[in-house]
Amino acid sequence: MSVSPVKRQKMESALEQLKHHTTVVADTGDFNAIDEYKPLDATTNPSLILAAAQMPAYQKLVDDAVAYGKKLGGSEDEQIQNACDKLFVLFGAEILKRIPGRVSTEVDARLSFDKEGMIQRARRLIDLYKEVGIGKDRILIKLSSTWEGIQAGKVLEAEYGIHCNMTLLFSFAQAVACAEAGVTLISPFVGRILDWHVANGDKKTYEPSEDPGVKSFGYKTIVMGASFRNTGEIKALTGCDYLTISPKLLAELSKEHVKLTPTLSVKEAQACDLEKIHLDEKAFRWHHNEDQMAVEKLSDGIRKFAADAIKLERMLKERMFGTENGK
């Protein structure tokens, strides 16, 4: 049934209604989108930074990162790495000028199986933020939800007071291990779960409430749903702690005028009679391995983020050394 023009004017958009029940986070490195939709927090990743860094509007940030890398000196690889870290922080710092909450900055996916490497890189990113006057309370460090990543998050939270956002989360085992590690946030990738079931099953379309990605939220912990494919998935998770949403879907939600009803709440979660589960490393690896979808999507996600990190480094290398190498 269509909504009359008069009622449509009075009814808040789906986006504004969602903000009453859920913390809306912008999944983008585009400042204009952040200005337009006014989220509380924002998330970035290598793919988003790569896309933004190629836009004419953001070349000053790229130039500043290149200058920083060269200033520190060292080998070509060291200069490129320093420039890359600086670029992530420069984007994060600019985003924080536009939001009241926190920005998520991701550790290189190629460190996904290196616990100490992730801890070192996370502390480096926090130090870079400190250099530009931003405290760690406004930063979430994104780590892959491998066993090593989860243990790195545990150390960063407990020993250094660095808040972590565990990304590329697809399985119940990952969620339990993250909760036990005491990390601040987990980011189940709703849309990618749906992608896998569509690609590998007979059913090709799902109602929002039956969407496999939405149903993955059956566990009750602090979650930030991510990687959505449509607004139906988002609306079906109204009431979730955080939802990080792309500018395209934020735009669609801002134009929709349908009544949203919370489907998740703290009260209902507390009323659930759930047995607490403990997973050591052996149990984690076994239970995660039993979930074919999660195994495939975690490895695929790491490869894709790593590939975009390499593309970003190549872009910076060309800017830093292309002329010197006669290219």
Side-chain angles (χ1 to χ4, degrees):
M1 186 175 76
S2 63
V3 180
S4 72
V6 175
K7 287 186 177 179
R8 186 179 292 117
Q9 289 175 5
K10 293 179 180 178
M11 181 182 287
E12 288 185 313
S13 69
L15 178 59
E16 291 307 312
Q17 292 177 68
L18 184 65
K19 288 180 178 180
H20 294 315
H21 307 289
T22 291
T23 297
V24 172
V25 178
D27 195 22
T28 182
D30 183 355
F31 307 151
N32 292 329
I34 293 169
D35 288 336
E36 182 174 358
Y37 299 111
K38 297 176 174 52
L40 179 69
D41 288 7
T43 55
T44 63
N45 61 45
S47 305
L48 295 175
I49 297 297
L50 174 64
Q54 296 176 79
M55 297 179 185
Y58 304 132
Q59 292 315 296
K60 175 66 164 58
L61 296 183
V62 178
D63 290 341
D64 288 348
V66 166
Y68 181 85
K70 285 194 166 189
K71 178 183 175 183
L72 290 190
S75 67
E76 277 196 11
D77 286 345
E78 288 171 336
Q79 290 183 55
I80 293 166
Q81 180 61 69
N82 286 327
C84 198
D85 287 345
K86 184 66 172 179
L87 185 61
F88 272 65
V89 169
L90 288 173
F91 267 97
E94 286 298 319
I95 288 170
L96 286 171
K97 294 176 183 177
R98 294 163 165 81
I99 59 173
R102 296 182 288 198
V103 68
S104 289
T105 298
E106 190 154 339
V107 164
D108 192 332
R110 289 168 291 180
L111 297 172
S112 294
F113 303 100
D114 180 353
K115 173 187 169 184
E116 295 304 322
M118 282 183 276
I119 292 171
Q120 182 179 356
R121 186 65 59 82
R123 294 181 65 194
R124 170 64 176 153
L125 290 169
I126 293 296
D127 285 344
L128 286 172
Y129 273 112
K130 187 176 180 180
E131 286 179 11
V132 293
I134 297 170
K136 61 186 178 183
D137 58 310
R138 296 203 68 196
I139 311 300
L140 284 166
I141 294 294
K142 288 178 74 176
L143 303 168
S144 299
S145 297
T146 56
W147 176 258
E148 294 81 3
I150 295 167
Q151 299 313 304
K154 182 177 182 178
V155 171
L156 288 167
E157 295 268 7
E159 297 184 18
Y160 300 102
I162 295 173
H163 299 299
C164 297
N165 168 3
M166 304 307 300
T167 191
L168 294 173
L169 192 145
F170 302 98
S171 73
F172 183 68
Q174 288 174 296
V176 170
C178 287
E180 289 196 310
V183 298
T184 300
L185 282 172
I186 58 173
S187 294
F189 274 32
V190 177
R192 296 194 194 186
I193 294 173
L194 171 64
D195 292 345
W196 189 91
H197 284 278
V198 169
N200 293 277
D202 295 329
K203 193 170 181 178
K204 300 305 176 186
T205 59
Y206 293 85
E207 290 298 314
S209 62
E210 292 301 313
D211 186 312
V214 172
K215 293 180 77 172
S216 74
F217 280 73
Y219 51 82
K220 305 297 181 182
T221 187
I222 298 173
V223 294
M224 179 167 71
S227 185
F228 294 105
R229 294 295 178 261
N230 54 68
T231 59
E233 291 177 328
I234 295 166
K235 290 181 287 187
L237 290 170
T238 301
C240 182
D241 295 312
Y242 285 56
L243 297 176
T244 184
I245 307 168
S246 69
K248 175 180 178 291
L249 294 179
L250 285 171
E252 290 180 23
L253 287 167
S254 70
K255 294 171 184 174
E256 291 186 28
H257 291 82
V258 295
K259 184 171 176 56
L260 293 192
T261 303
T263 53
L264 299 173
S265 72
V266 174
K267 186 176 180 180
E268 288 183 7
Q270 292 173 340
C272 291
D273 183 20
L274 299 175
E275 180 184 354
K276 191 170 183 179
I277 299 171
H278 167 69
L279 295 178
D280 59 14
E281 181 178 355
K282 290 179 288 186
F284 167 84
R285 293 192 185 280
W286 175 257
H287 285 289
H288 179 69
N289 190 67
E290 286 289 277
D291 189 332
Q292 182 184 350
M293 175 277 297
V295 170
E296 292 181 10
K297 296 309 293 183
L298 174 60
S299 59
D300 180 61
I302 290 172
R303 285 193 298 271
K304 286 179 177 175
F305 280 155
D308 281 341
I310 291 169
K311 290 177 186 176
L312 183 60
E313 287 179 353
R314 285 175 180 163
M315 185 193 80
L316 291 172
K317 182 176 182 179
E318 179 64 24
R319 293 282 281 266
M320 297 173 82
F321 306 109
T323 304
E324 295 172 18
N325 293 340
K327 294 180 183 176

